Amino acid sequence: DVILSERKWSKKYKDAEKNIEKIIAEDAFYINDTISLFSKLWPNITNRTYLELGCGTFPLGRVFAKKGATVIGIDFSMPALRIAQSLAKRDGVRVFLVRGDIRHLPFASNQIGYVYGGGVLEHFKDVGGAVRELNRVMKVGGKAVNTVPYISLGTLTYRQLWGNIPNIPVLKQLAELIHIRILGGRHMIFGYELSFTAGQMRRLFQKAGFRILSIGPLPHKIMLERVKSVRLRILFQRLARTRLFWPMILVHAQKEKND
């Protein structure tokens, strides 16, 4: 799971290093929605410590750095971190970038006030271990936002084009057999990627010591770059706002206490 995910993402960002403007345009597609979301969830991030899991090119981290937060990004892709460093210099902001594994965060316990993982936890089979680890590094009262693919009709159809693995017994084993063993991961453009129910995510976070503040659909537009028809894309984007077709869910949680 980790090797496949790291390989796919590093290739994506290595290609992006040749065309930085393209990756900036991709980030721009989501960033306004993301900033609007966090202005509601975390209005007081100034002078706080912010950690982003799987930070990629770190667009949100650069925004928070401008607001006065201490920002740390961790990713297992060195090409992604090189781009993030270059864009931070361009924006004139100070960021701390770490190449590492989110299942074994290289930080002391009880240090981080805010954590964000945008489409990250699903790339590891040991999701529970990753959630426990992010809980360990957070301060009591610290808040975490994580988004993951949601098991819906959209996930079971469109998302199969890039090798999603529904986290449901039998379906999971069948999808792994097809996408990994038979097809060799060639269609898994984001590497190993699980999808979850809201109940599964609630239990994972509660078991790790979090109090759930909210769980619901991620209120972002979606690219649907593989749908060439403009009319069909508009239709699918409307369908994605209904629960049957939700593409992603967001978990907002707070650390309650130290173990």
Side-chain angles (χ1 to χ4, degrees), residues 111-129:
Q111 298 297 312
I112 311 295
Y114 294 91
V115 177
Y116 172 53
V120 179
L121 294 177
E122 66 267 25
H123 298 299
F124 305 87
K125 288 186 178 182
D126 185 16
V127 182

Side-chain angles (χ1 to χ4, degrees), residues 99-242:
R99 184 171 189 250
D101 185 338
I102 68 167
R103 300 169 305 163
H104 309 284
L105 292 169
F107 310 118
S109 300
N110 311 312
Q111 298 297 312
I112 311 295
Y114 294 91
V115 177
Y116 172 53
V120 179
L121 294 177
E122 66 267 25
H123 298 299
F124 305 87
K125 288 186 178 182
D126 185 16
V127 182
V131 176
R132 289 192 299 273
E133 182 67 352
L134 74 92
N135 180 276
R136 177 187 66 80
V137 303
M138 292 180 64
K139 297 177 180 178
V140 173
K143 295 179 179 179
V145 167
N146 284 268
T147 64
V148 295
Y150 179 66
I151 295 176
S152 67
L153 289 179
T155 306
L156 297 174
T157 53
Y158 179 77
R159 213 171 186 103
Q160 292 306 303
L161 295 175
W162 62 74
N164 180 263
I165 310 292
N167 193 32
I168 298 174
V170 181
L171 275 183
K172 179 180 180 182
Q173 286 73 27
L174 180 61
E176 288 179 335
L177 173 66
I178 294 171
H179 290 306
I180 299 175
R181 297 191 178 276
I182 295 177
L183 298 177
R186 69 175 65 97
H187 298 299
M188 302 176 82
I189 58 175
F190 300 119
Y192 188 86
E193 182 194 78
L194 289 166
S195 52
F196 305 86
T197 66
Q200 287 172 338
M201 295 309 295
R202 180 182 297 276
R203 289 188 291 273
L204 279 168
F205 275 80
Q206 289 177 334
K207 189 175 180 179
F210 285 99
R211 178 169 64 92
I212 301 298
L213 300 177
S214 64
I215 294 182
L218 177 65
H220 281 186
K221 55 183 177 288
I222 53 177
M223 276 190 172
L224 296 172
E225 63 275 7
R226 295 195 177 195
V227 179
K228 303 306 178 184
S229 166
V230 174
R231 288 185 178 180
L232 274 179
R233 193 178 304 137
I234 292 172
L235 173 63
F236 291 157
Q237 286 171 339
R238 288 175 178 171
L239 284 174
R241 300 187 192 121
T242 66

Side-chain angles (χ1 to χ4, degrees), residues 45-47 59-71 87-88 90-95:
I45 199 167
T46 302
N47 298 323
L60 187 59
R62 299 197 305 274
V63 170
F64 285 160
K66 290 177 182 177
K67 292 178 178 290
T70 299
V71 298
L87 293 177
R90 184 203 66 175
D91 288 355
V93 295
R94 186 185 187 193
V95 300

